[in-house]
Amino acid sequence: MPSKYALPLHIQISEMLIREIQAGRLVDGQRLEPERVMARRYGIAVGTLRKALSDLTEKGVLVRVQGSGNYVQARMDVDSVYSFYRVELLQGGGLPTAELMSVERMEKPDHLPEFGKSDVAHRIRRIRSLAGIPAVLEEIWLDASYAETLSTCSMSESLYLYYREKLDLWIAKAEDGLTVDPLPDWAPDSFGMAAKAPALLVTRRSVSREGEIAEISHNWINTNVAKYVARMA
């Protein structure tokens, strides 16, 4: 059953193909399979696939030639939902999805760096999967000045998209720091790693277009299945 937080299906396909292109699994100039073949492989209607391909064309990563087919136009600077998302499967790519574990409003703990205007934050815990494989354990702290409460019913799998559409918060920049840290004891068995096991930890500061640090997140990556990647345009 699809997640209630899932992006529209054609956007999921578009985002998946963008990540395949950026990972080099689809190369510049490559001709995609015929549309009916692609639609059958993804288990979607041809009309849905065509909406995804139109989105890719608008973003400049696909050239559609009448009577010939669809050709990849590889580029790194794509305005996509997951343009800030830097974790991929070991073989590259993988559409991100999220399982929401909890959302709580609380005073900011002392171990967090200073951020935002409020003494209170919303703590969001999720399991992030890539192509259905659990890959990242997330603990996200959003400054409470941006919202009194967060609606889990309308929360997208892309939090940055949710912030933009529901909170009028635009994330313009993300600053990441990498270290190794034990997996927290609240990690569920479904994540596939034991609590306290060493994991790659990415600590992110998400900066709004006004230049304020709006969010701090901790992201523990299961490096048995995924990797952190930063590409230059």
Side-chain angles (χ1 to χ4, degrees):
M1 181 179 295
S3 165
K4 66 180 179 180
Y5 311 109
L7 298 171
L9 188 53
H10 74 283
I11 297 297
Q12 292 183 49
I13 299 298
S14 171
E15 291 293 324
M16 179 185 66
L17 291 171
I18 287 172
R19 286 173 61 82
E20 293 283 294
I21 291 168
Q22 293 184 331
R25 292 166 61 83
L26 293 172
V27 301
D28 190 54
Q30 180 175 341
R31 182 179 182 272
L32 299 184
E33 297 173 302
E35 292 177 0
R36 293 192 180 279
V37 174
M38 288 185 70
R40 185 163 57 247
R41 179 155 61 86
Y42 296 136
I44 60 175
V46 173
T48 301
L49 176 68
R50 286 175 177 162
K51 287 180 68 175
L53 298 180
S54 293
D55 183 61
L56 293 172
T57 302
E58 290 176 8
K59 289 180 167 67
V61 293
L62 195 71
V63 175
R64 307 185 74 181
V65 180
Q66 185 68 33
S68 178
N70 301 298
Y71 295 85
V72 173
Q73 186 167 275
R75 51 183 294 191
M76 294 294 109
D77 57 334
V78 183
D79 181 19
S80 70
V81 172
Y82 292 113
S83 57
F84 284 109
Y85 197 71
R86 296 169 183 160
V87 183
E88 297 180 354
L89 293 172
L90 294 180
Q91 64 270 30
L95 178 69
T97 54
E99 176 189 345
L100 185 65
M101 297 176 62
S102 65
V103 179
E104 296 184 55
R105 178 186 168 94
M106 62 182 66
E107 290 190 7
K108 294 175 181 175
D110 292 338
H111 67 79
L112 290 180
E114 289 189 12
F115 72 104
K117 300 176 181 177
S118 176
D119 294 329
V120 178
H122 301 284
R123 188 191 69 188
I124 304 165
R125 287 177 172 173
R126 308 193 302 176
I127 299 175
R128 175 77 80 173
S129 294
L130 298 173
I133 302 171
V136 186
L137 194 66
E138 301 178 332
E139 184 175 83
I140 301 149
W141 297 85
L142 174 67
D143 187 71
S145 65
Y146 294 100
E148 184 69 22
T149 60
L150 298 182
S151 171
T152 59
C153 293
S154 59
M155 189 175 290
S156 169
E157 287 179 328
S158 167
L159 284 181
Y160 287 179
L161 181 64
Y162 171 75
Y163 295 163
R164 188 167 69 234
E165 293 184 343
K166 303 299 182 180
L167 309 183
D168 194 30
L169 167 59
W170 293 68
I171 301 300
K173 183 171 65 172
E175 303 170 353
D176 292 345
L178 279 66
T179 187
V180 174
D181 191 66
L183 204 66
D185 55 13
W186 51 268
D189 293 340
S190 59
F191 185 61
M193 289 181 66
K196 305 300 183 182
L200 176 63
L201 172 64
V202 180
T203 300
R204 167 169 289 189
R205 291 173 167 83
S206 299
V207 182
S208 73
R209 61 183 174 184
E210 291 77 27
E212 299 176 345
I213 300 175
E215 177 201 87
I216 299 290
S217 68
H218 299 121
N219 307 271
W220 291 267
I221 299 174
N222 183 347
T223 52
N224 294 316
V225 300
K227 60 186 177 181
Y228 177 91
V229 177
R231 295 186 175 90
M232 302 300 177

